[in-house]
Amino acid sequence: MGIAADIAIIIVAALIGGAIAQQLKQPLILGYILAGLLVGPHTGLVTITEVHDIELLAEIGIALLLFALGVEFSFSELKPVRWVALIGTPIQMVLTMGFGYVIGRILGWDFSSSVWIGALVSISSTMVVLKTLANRGLMGSLSSRVMIGMLIVQDLAVIPLIIILPLLKDLSSGLPILGLALVKAIGFLLVMVIAGTRVIPSVMKFISKSNSRELFLLASAAIALGVGYATYLVGLSFAFGAFVAGMVISESEYSHQALSDIVPLRDVFGMLFFVSVGMLIDPAYLMNNLGEVLLLVLLVVISKSLIFGILVRFFGYYNIVPIAVGLGLSQIGEFSFVLARVGLSTNSISEDLYALILTASVMTMILTPFLSSLTTPIYKLRKRMFKHESVQTINIPETGLRNHVIIAGGGRVGQNIAKALRHLDVPYIVIELDSHNINQLKDTGNPIVFGDASQPIVLEAASVEHSRLLLITTPAVIITQTIARLCRDLNPELSIIARCSEEGQMKILHDLGVSEVVLPEFEAGLEITRQAFQRLGVPPMKILQFTNRLRHGVYEPGHETDQDYRILSHLRRAADLLELTWILVTENSPLIGNTVKTLDIRNKMGISIVGVVKNGRDVLPNPDLDYHFANKDLLAVMGNPQQLISFQQFINPND
C-alpha cells in the first residue's frame, strides 16, 4: 500500500507512544519520537518504507505550526521583545557559531566542518519549543514571547545560511545570491502587506458566507500552504510563507475561527514531524559513537543555555526569564536538518558529521521538556543561594496588601479602573511592564508592580495569594489564559474578571475559571445603539429591554449551569428596572404650565418624579408639589415598564 500503510503504522505507533507518555506524565512529543524510533528503518521492527515521503509530509506540520503561530501572535504583541529578537538573535547566532566552531575543533573536525557545526547548533527548534510551552501552559508569558521572537528571527536566518555555508571556500561569489534572496524576501513581504491584507480577508469573508465549516477549513489550509508554496517557488522558506499568511489572517475578524479549525490538522501533521525525528535515530550509530554524541549534546546544551541566558539578561529581562529562555532554547532545531541536508548534498559535510548532528539534535529535542521543567526549581534554588533581584514596586503600603484588587495591565483601561477604585478607597495594585504607562501611573500615585503579570514572581510580588479580585485588561486571550491559570494555582478562591476581543474566546476563559468576561467592542456598540435609539425617540423601557436581551444572548451562554450567575443576572435585571428613566418634556405637552400637585401623577399613573433638570443645567432633586413644568424639562422618573410607557405617551402625545 506504500505511503498509506506507512501513515497507518505511524498513527497507531504515535497513539501508543503518546498514551505511554501521558501515563508517565511526560510531554506527548516524547511518545511520538519513541514511536518514530520503533517504526524507523534502523530497528528492524515494523518498518516504514517511504521515509523520505514522511519527512516531506512532516514539513507541512512545520508550516501549519508557524501558520497557527502567525494567527495567534501579532507584531503588536511581540513589540515588547522586538529588540532582543531583532538585535539579540543575530548576536546569539554569531556567539553560538563561535562556540560551535570551538566544539568542532575539540571533537577533531577540520575548519570547514567546525564552521558547519557552529551554524547547525546555533538554530533552536520552533516546533519543540512551542509544543513544550503549550504543554506547560506558558504560552503568552514574557519568557515565551522572548523565545518566540528569537525563534522567528532564527528561522528567517536559515535562508542566508543555506546560501552562504556551501560557498565557504568562495564566499564572494555567493554575495549576489544572498542579495537576491534579500530582495525576494522584501518583495514578498511588500506583496503580502499591500495585496495579501486585502485579498486574503476578502477570500475568508466570501467562504464564511457559505456557512460551511468544511470549506472554511479548506480555505485556511489552502492559504497557509498556498502562500508557503509561493514563497518556496521564489526561493524562500516554505514555513516562512505560512507564518506570514497567519500574520495577515490574525488582523482579520476570522482569525479565531481559522485558528480553531486548523489546530487539529496542525497537530496531526505535527505528530508526523516528531515521528520523522524519531526515525532519524540510528541506535547502532548512537552506541558506536556514544561518547562523542553525549559530549556534543552536553557542550551544546551548556553553551546555548549560557549564551541565551546572559544575552537575555543583558537586554533587560530579569528574574526567571533568562533561566526560562536559556533552558528552553538549548536544543538544536529542525531547520538544522534542512541545513545539514544541504551540506550533505553539496559535499560540504561528511556522512559521519551528518549522522552526528542528526543524532545530537534529536537527543537535545528529547531533553527539552525535561530541561524546561527545571526552570522553576533552578530559579528557587538560585533565590536561596544568592541575593536575587527583587521585583520593582512603587507606592506599596508599608503594611503590605491584603484583600485587595489586582489590575493586570496599566494601559488606558487599567488606569481608568485604578482611578475608580482610588475614588472608592478600595485597596488595589497595578501590574504593568511598559515604562511609559509606569510613568503615568507613578505620577498619579498608584501602587505598582513593574513586571509581566504572566510571571509567578511578579504575581507573588502583587500578593495574589491575599487578593480578592483580579482584573485582566489585556485583549490578548492567550496572555489572559496564562495569567488566569497561574493565579488559579496561587489563589484558587480568587475571582477573575477579564477582557477579550471575540465572543468565541469567552468559553475558553470561563473554562479556566474566569468569573466574568467583558467584550469592549460589544459594549461600545451597545452604548452607541442605546444613544441612537434615545435620539430616535424610542421609549426608554424598550431600549432597556432590547439591550438586556442582547447582553443576555452574549454573556449568559457561558453560564448555563452556573446557578449563582443566573440568580445574579435576574437580580441585575431587577436593578435595571429600578434605575431612573429620563424623559424630555416636549413642546405642547400637557405638563407645561401645570404643577406636580395639580396633575396628581403619582396617584393617577403610579409614576414618581424624583428629579428635574431645568434649562439643561439646573438640577432640582425631588421637586416640591408647587413646581411648574416647562418645555424641555428633563424628568427623572421611576415606575414599572407599563407605567413609564403610558406616562411618556401622556406627556408627549405627538411622539
Side-chain angles (χ1 to χ4, degrees):
M1 290 180 63
I3 193 171
D6 288 345
I7 293 176
I9 293 170
I10 286 172
I11 291 175
V12 173
L15 175 61
I16 296 172
I20 293 173
Q22 183 83 9
Q23 290 299 313
L24 296 175
K25 301 187 183 302
Q26 299 300 319
L28 292 180
I29 58 176
L30 296 183
Y32 298 156
I33 292 174
L34 174 63
L37 172 63
L38 295 177
V39 302
H42 305 293
T43 58
L45 300 175
V46 181
T47 304
I48 298 299
T49 57
E50 305 293 340
V51 175
H52 181 64
D53 290 341
I54 298 300
E55 291 175 351
L56 293 177
L57 287 175
E59 291 185 15
I60 296 178
I62 299 173
L64 291 177
L65 178 80
L66 288 176
F67 173 75
L69 176 63
V71 173
E72 215 163 8
F73 285 90
S74 65
F75 283 120
S76 60
E77 291 172 14
L78 293 176
K79 186 178 179 181
V81 301
R82 62 189 182 278
W83 297 120
V84 71
L86 296 176
I87 298 176
T89 306
I91 296 173
Q92 169 267 317
M93 293 190 71
V94 170
L95 291 175
T96 309
M97 289 174 71
F99 273 89
Y101 172 81
V102 173
I103 292 172
R105 301 300 279 181
I106 291 173
L107 295 176
W109 295 93
D110 60 26
F111 170 80
S112 178
S113 297
S114 298
V115 173
W116 270 90
I117 290 176
L120 292 169
V121 302
S122 68
I123 303 167
S124 301
S125 174
T126 303
M127 194 77 161
V128 172
V129 171
L130 290 182
K131 273 291 185 182
T132 302
L133 290 172
N135 290 340
R136 297 188 62 214
L138 296 177
M139 292 295 289
S141 65
L142 179 59
S143 55
S144 74
R145 280 179 277 170
V146 172
M147 284 188 262
I148 290 168
M150 300 185 82
L151 285 167
I152 290 170
V153 177
Q154 279 188 357
D155 292 345
L156 296 179
V158 171
I159 299 168
L161 287 177
I162 289 175
I163 298 169
I164 293 173
L165 288 176
L167 302 170
L168 280 176
K169 295 180 180 179
D170 189 10
L171 185 58
S172 60
S173 65
L175 291 178
I177 303 175
L178 179 61
L180 179 61
L182 181 61
V183 171
K184 288 179 180 179
I186 294 173
F188 170 74
L189 289 174
L190 289 175
V191 169
M192 290 300 294
V193 170
I194 297 172
T197 52
R198 293 170 173 80
V199 174
I200 291 179
S202 299
V203 171
M204 301 299 284
K205 182 177 181 180
F206 175 78
I207 295 296
S208 66
K209 290 180 180 179
S210 67
N211 293 322
S212 171
R213 185 158 189 172
E214 184 177 349
L215 279 179
F216 196 89
L217 169 61
L218 288 174
S220 301
I223 289 171
L225 302 179
V227 174
Y229 184 62
T231 59
Y232 170 76
L233 291 178
V234 297
L236 299 174
S237 167
F238 181 73
F240 170 62
F243 172 76
V244 174
M247 294 293 291
V248 171
I249 289 182
S250 72
E251 304 301 326
S252 75
E253 58 187 300
Y254 307 103
S255 59
H256 180 70
Q257 184 64 42
L259 181 62
S260 63
D261 284 349
I262 209 72
V263 161
L265 195 62
R266 176 202 67 184
D267 289 343
V268 170
F269 280 96
M271 174 271 296
L272 285 177
F273 167 77
F274 286 108
V275 171
S276 70
V277 168
M279 290 162 54
L280 295 173
I281 302 176
D282 183 353
Y285 177 86
L286 178 60
M287 295 306 297
N288 294 332
N289 301 273
L290 185 61
E292 189 175 28
V293 171
L294 291 180
L295 179 60
L296 177 59
V297 168
L298 181 64
L299 292 174
V300 167
V301 169
I302 292 175
S303 62
K304 292 190 74 171
S305 296
L306 290 175
I307 290 172
F308 275 109
I310 294 172
L311 194 62
V312 168
R313 179 66 177 79
F314 178 79
F315 273 85
Y317 296 92
Y318 303 96
N319 298 303
I320 202 171
V321 177
I323 299 174
V325 175
L327 294 175
L329 298 181
S330 60
Q331 73 291 127
I332 304 173
E334 59 273 358
F335 281 115
S336 296
F337 302 158
V338 178
L339 196 56
R341 288 195 193 108
V342 172
L344 191 63
S345 63
T346 58
N347 295 318
S348 299
I349 61 175
S350 65
E351 291 277 0
D352 285 343
L353 181 55
Y354 178 76
L356 174 64
I357 288 295
L358 290 188
T359 306
S361 299
V362 173
M363 291 189 68
T364 58
M365 288 180 177
I366 293 173
L367 288 173
T368 297
F370 297 111
L371 292 173
S372 184
S373 67
L374 295 176
T375 299
T376 301
I378 291 176
Y379 179 67
K380 289 181 178 179
L381 178 64
R382 196 195 74 174
K383 287 199 298 182
R384 288 198 301 266
M385 295 180 62
F386 304 100
K387 181 180 179 181
H388 64 285
E389 65 269 39
S390 59
V391 177
Q392 182 182 355
T393 59
I394 302 169
N395 299 328
I396 303 296
E398 293 183 2
T399 56
L401 290 167
R402 299 187 72 89
N403 205 31
H404 58 290
V405 177
I406 297 176
I407 305 172
R412 287 176 296 177
V413 175
Q415 290 178 31
N416 287 330
I417 296 171
K419 188 184 299 182
L421 294 176
R422 187 167 63 250
H423 179 74
L424 296 173
D425 291 326
V426 176
Y428 69 93
I429 189 168
V430 183
I431 300 176
E432 178 54 46
L433 184 61
D434 185 271
S435 58
H436 176 70
N437 291 333
I438 288 287
N439 291 332
Q440 291 182 330
L441 290 162
K442 184 169 60 176
D443 292 342
T444 51
N446 291 283
I448 310 163
V449 172
F450 180 52
D452 178 22
S454 61
Q455 296 293 337
I457 185 69
V458 175
L459 293 172
E460 290 171 4
S463 299
V464 68
E465 66 276 13
H466 301 304
S467 64
R468 59 172 170 170
L469 179 63
L470 169 67
L471 309 176
I472 306 176
T473 65
T474 174
V477 68
I478 192 166
I479 298 175
T480 301
Q481 286 178 266
T482 302
I483 297 173
R485 189 181 291 108
L486 287 172
C487 289
R488 275 276 170 255
D489 292 338
L490 295 169
N491 185 352
E493 303 301 320
L494 182 66
S495 296
I496 303 175
I497 300 175
R499 164 190 177 187
C500 72
S501 56
E502 299 181 24
E503 289 182 38
Q505 300 168 347
M506 296 177 68
K507 186 177 186 308
I508 299 173
L509 298 180
H510 285 312
D511 290 343
L512 282 174
V514 175
S515 313
E516 300 283 349
V517 179
V518 178
L519 298 166
E521 291 82 0
F522 170 77
E523 293 294 339
L526 208 59
E527 177 61 18
I528 292 172
T529 301
R530 187 190 68 79
Q531 294 191 24
F533 281 178
Q534 200 170 34
R535 295 287 181 181
L536 293 170
V538 178
M541 287 313 301
K542 284 189 176 180
I543 298 175
L544 182 62
Q545 291 167 356
F546 176 76
T547 54
N548 278 341
R549 188 163 60 250
L550 285 181
R551 279 200 176 92
H552 173 81
V554 170
Y555 289 117
E556 294 198 13
H559 296 278
E560 298 93 341
T561 59
D562 190 340
Q563 185 64 26
D564 291 340
Y565 180 87
R566 295 177 66 182
I567 293 172
L568 288 173
S569 179
H570 291 313
L571 291 174
R572 191 183 297 121
R573 286 200 204 97
D576 286 340
L577 296 178
L578 294 175
E579 288 182 357
L580 297 180
T581 297
W582 295 89
I583 298 178
L584 182 68
V585 178
T586 57
E587 192 176 358
N588 300 323
S589 172
L591 265 68
I592 296 176
N594 289 306
T595 65
V596 175
K597 181 178 181 180
T598 57
L599 292 173
D600 196 18
I601 293 171
R602 180 73 184 88
N603 291 326
K604 291 181 178 179
M605 297 186 179
I607 289 295
S608 297
I609 300 177
V610 297
V612 178
V613 178
K614 192 173 184 63
N615 300 321
R617 59 181 184 275
D618 299 326
V619 180
L620 304 176
N622 194 25
D624 57 39
L625 296 177
D626 295 325
Y627 175 77
H628 287 76
F629 294 105
N631 185 29
K632 296 186 178 179
D633 277 356
L634 188 60
L635 310 181
V637 300
M638 294 183 65
N640 65 40
Q642 189 57 48
Q643 291 168 342
L644 290 169
I645 293 172
S646 299
F647 179 65
Q648 189 170 40
Q649 291 173 345
F650 167 70
I651 67 171
N652 296 317
N654 296 325
D655 286 356

